[in-house]
Amino acid sequence: MSGILYFVPTPVGNLEDMTFRAVKVLKEVDYILCEDTRTSGVLLKHYEISKPLKSYHLHNEHQTTDKVVQDLENGQNIAIITDAGTPGISDPGYLLAKACADKNLEMTCLPGATAFVPALVVSGLPTNEFLFAGFLPQKKGRQTKLKQLAEEKKTIVLYESPHKINTTLEQIKEFFGEETKVSLSREISKKFEETKRGTINELIEFSKSKTLKGEIVLIVNNGL
């Protein structure tokens, strides 16, 4: 009988956002896949979870996936976590999910923390329809992607890093127009959590007026 793969969300900031079920699953599996053993080690120590940790990240997931699938086929129960949030959402996990689906292996994704849902809810922008676009391409295809998104009628969800936020906001203005409304959330669930809402020009002014830290979620709506 094959084992079960558990996708377990971990807190994006506040450790108290861990669910009872997530802790229970992590204590019961045979081992845990994680991006960074040091980062995950802090979380596991906090919840007194002592299970073997194995590295599984963007740079080794191709090489590691087959071994994980083999362990599942041999009856081991395995959890995958990331440094923060839900595995597979702009983080490692998709390749493993596809491999398990191809083999018809059992998978369960626990509900829990993810960065974009809180940012979307407090944005004040339409939430009835939205498009999750994750991180924009670094270089190749970036402008093409922005042109495509600018034609989108749904609210758009983007992830961005602090050192690229000014450039991204300027590009949103260029491709989406000056009437575009934007909500910027950062440090979600942490002590210095902050959300700024306004027009794209107001967000550019805000971003340039201070040094933003922490991962950033942009909610964009150009009112088409």
Side-chain angles (χ1 to χ4, degrees), residues 14-79:
N14 194 321
L15 287 180
E16 293 181 3
D17 290 337
M18 194 75 167
T19 67
F20 291 114
R21 185 183 175 199
V23 173
K24 182 175 184 291
V25 166
L26 293 180
K27 286 184 175 182
E28 292 177 349
V29 293
D30 291 292
Y31 67 83
I32 300 167
L33 299 169
C34 66
E35 282 187 277
D36 187 320
T37 55
R38 293 165 300 181
T39 301
S40 296
V42 173
L43 176 72
L44 299 188
K45 183 178 180 181
H46 181 81
Y47 285 101
E48 299 180 344
I49 300 168
S50 55
K51 289 290 177 176
L53 284 173
K54 297 189 179 183
S55 180
Y56 188 87
H57 48 72
L58 291 173
H59 303 294
N60 77 349
E61 58 181 339
H62 286 87
Q63 302 96 310
T64 308
T65 294
D66 288 345
K67 178 61 169 66
V68 176
V69 169
Q70 186 179 56
D71 288 343
L72 289 165
E73 289 176 326
N74 289 333
Q76 294 193 64
N77 293 319
I78 302 167

Side-chain angles (χ1 to χ4, degrees), residues 116 120 126 129-134 145 148-149 152-158 218-220:
F116 81 83
L120 178 63
E129 288 187 296
F130 63 90
L131 172 67
F132 177 78
K145 186 66 175 180
Q148 292 174 346
L149 293 175
E152 183 59 60
K153 295 181 181 179
K154 302 181 181 71
T155 296
I156 296 164
V157 181
L158 294 169
L218 291 175
I219 312 297
V220 184

Side-chain angles (χ1 to χ4, degrees), residues 131-197:
L131 172 67
F132 177 78
F135 287 98
L136 291 168
Q138 295 290 328
K139 293 180 180 178
K140 186 178 180 181
R142 188 178 177 91
Q143 292 193 357
T144 301
K145 186 66 175 180
L146 283 163
K147 288 178 182 177
Q148 292 174 346
L149 293 175
E151 299 299 320
E152 183 59 60
K153 295 181 181 179
K154 302 181 181 71
T155 296
I156 296 164
V157 181
L158 294 169
Y159 285 164
E160 193 50 276
S161 60
H163 69 279
K164 289 189 176 180
I165 186 61
N166 289 337
T167 298
T168 297
L169 289 172
E170 291 284 2
Q171 289 177 327
I172 289 172
K173 178 180 177 179
E174 176 185 352
F175 288 97
F176 287 67
E178 293 191 6
E179 301 304 313
T180 302
K181 293 182 179 179
V182 181
S183 176
L184 182 157
S185 294
R186 66 182 191 90
E187 299 283 77
I188 291 171
S189 85
K190 298 180 182 178
K191 181 178 180 180
F192 298 105
E193 178 176 346
E194 180 178 31
T195 294
K196 176 69 176 180
R197 310 169 191 86

